[in-house]
Amino acid sequence: SQTIHQWPATLVQPVGSPLSLECTVEGTSNPNLYWYRQAAGRGLQLLFYSVGIGQISSEVPQNLSASRPQDRQFILSSKKLLLSDSGFYLCAWSVVDNEQFFGPGTRLTVL
Amino acid sequence: GNSVTQMEGPVTLSEEAFLTINCTYTATGYPSLFWYVQYPGEGLQLLLKATKADDKGSNKGFEATYRKETTSFHLEKGSVQVSDSAVYFCALRSAGGTSYGKLTFGQGTILTVHP
């Protein structure tokens, strides 16, 4: 069966520090991968998606970047965090036209 | 572009009450529609889905019918339980290869069920 992992589960970082969040998927090949952010009291915003290794599409301009160095690995990064980067970050995967499956999320607090 | 509008919450109900969470959408063509649920501190789980007009998705006592004429996908449950307390998200996925499976979400509706 397929599983999706995210780490860390929680993270507290100072403003201006770098960020690296990792997402890995097991049990499937060539998935579409997605990063979402859920800000406090708000819905989900799609940040990035990837349809293959090295292929990243950005949905909104922001302080973040994404990379996909391996088929089932998706990384969200920042060189310098802002207060507004705080939120709950969710990774998801899907294949073809099936539904998306979400990871457990990472709660990021920028102080 | 695509958009999803959910009824504003929070929604507070007593156990065994009837639940309706309204969801309407704007999209071209024939999107697929989803309801996801998020329990406190967790990621999202797919609750139910419908992929074409007049389909009814159902799971765990929840139901939603894809109504193309009213562009709606309202979530209902006849008798809620305390364990149903969560945030509910309506979402759509455009048909067609260039969508890459991307979902458009509503803003979420917080449901609290009291004993």
Side-chain angles (χ1 to χ4, degrees):
Chain A
S1 65
Q2 302 89 359
T3 55
I4 178 168
H5 303 280
Q6 285 187 246
W7 64 90
T10 60
L11 189 61
V12 179
Q13 292 284 93
V15 169
S17 63
L19 173 73
S20 181
L21 303 182
E22 191 163 342
C23 169
T24 59
V25 180
E26 297 177 357
T28 187
S29 296
N30 197 30
N32 291 343
L33 296 172
Y34 310 85
W35 276 112
Y36 292 88
R37 176 169 59 203
Q38 184 179 24
R42 301 181 65 180
L44 282 84
Q45 180 184 37
L46 178 64
L47 302 176
F48 301 95
Y49 68 94
S50 171
V51 300
I53 296 174
Q55 300 179 59
I56 308 296
S57 296
S58 175
E59 286 293 290
V60 292
Q62 61 208 309
N63 184 43
L64 302 168
S65 62
S67 62
R68 185 171 177 175
Q70 300 180 42
D71 182 43
R72 289 169 287 181
Q73 184 184 29
F74 204 23
I75 297 172
L76 184 69
S77 303
S78 174
K79 293 182 179 178
K80 289 185 178 182
L81 284 169
L82 306 172
L83 287 173
S84 57
D85 291 324
S86 293
F88 192 47
Y89 288 83
L90 289 161
C91 180
W93 70 272
S94 71
V95 290
V96 195
D97 284 333
N98 289 324
E99 63 264 26
Q100 290 185 17
F101 297 92
F102 285 79
T106 295
R107 185 159 304 282
L108 171 66
T109 303
V110 182
L111 301 175
Chain B
N2 298 336
S3 67
V4 176
T5 302
Q6 287 180 236
M7 66 182 289
E8 292 192 17
V11 175
T12 302
L13 296 173
S14 298
E15 207 164 24
E16 300 183 3
F18 184 84
L19 168 71
T20 299
I21 301 178
N22 289 339
C23 171
T24 57
Y25 68 88
T26 302
T28 56
Y30 298 90
S32 295
L33 301 173
F34 306 85
W35 277 101
Y36 281 85
V37 59
Q38 183 180 32
Y39 298 103
E42 299 183 8
L44 273 69
Q45 302 174 25
L46 179 66
L47 182 59
L48 53 84
K49 67 177 181 180
T51 57
K52 60 182 187 295
D54 299 325
D55 267 2
K56 176 185 284 188
S58 61
N59 185 27
K60 299 181 181 180
F62 291 90
E63 293 183 340
T65 301
Y66 188 162
R67 302 286 189 199
K68 186 160 180 65
E69 64 276 13
T70 54
T71 62
S72 65
F73 192 53
H74 304 322
L75 182 68
E76 296 182 337
K77 186 174 185 181
S79 176
V80 294
Q81 305 300 312
V82 173
S83 57
D84 293 327
S85 298
V87 183
Y88 292 81
F89 292 93
C90 185
L92 72 81
R93 184 186 67 219
S94 292
T98 58
S99 70
Y100 303 113
K102 292 183 291 182
L103 293 174
T104 300
F105 284 90
Q107 68 270 36
T109 301
I110 300 172
L111 171 66
T112 303
V113 180
H114 293 297

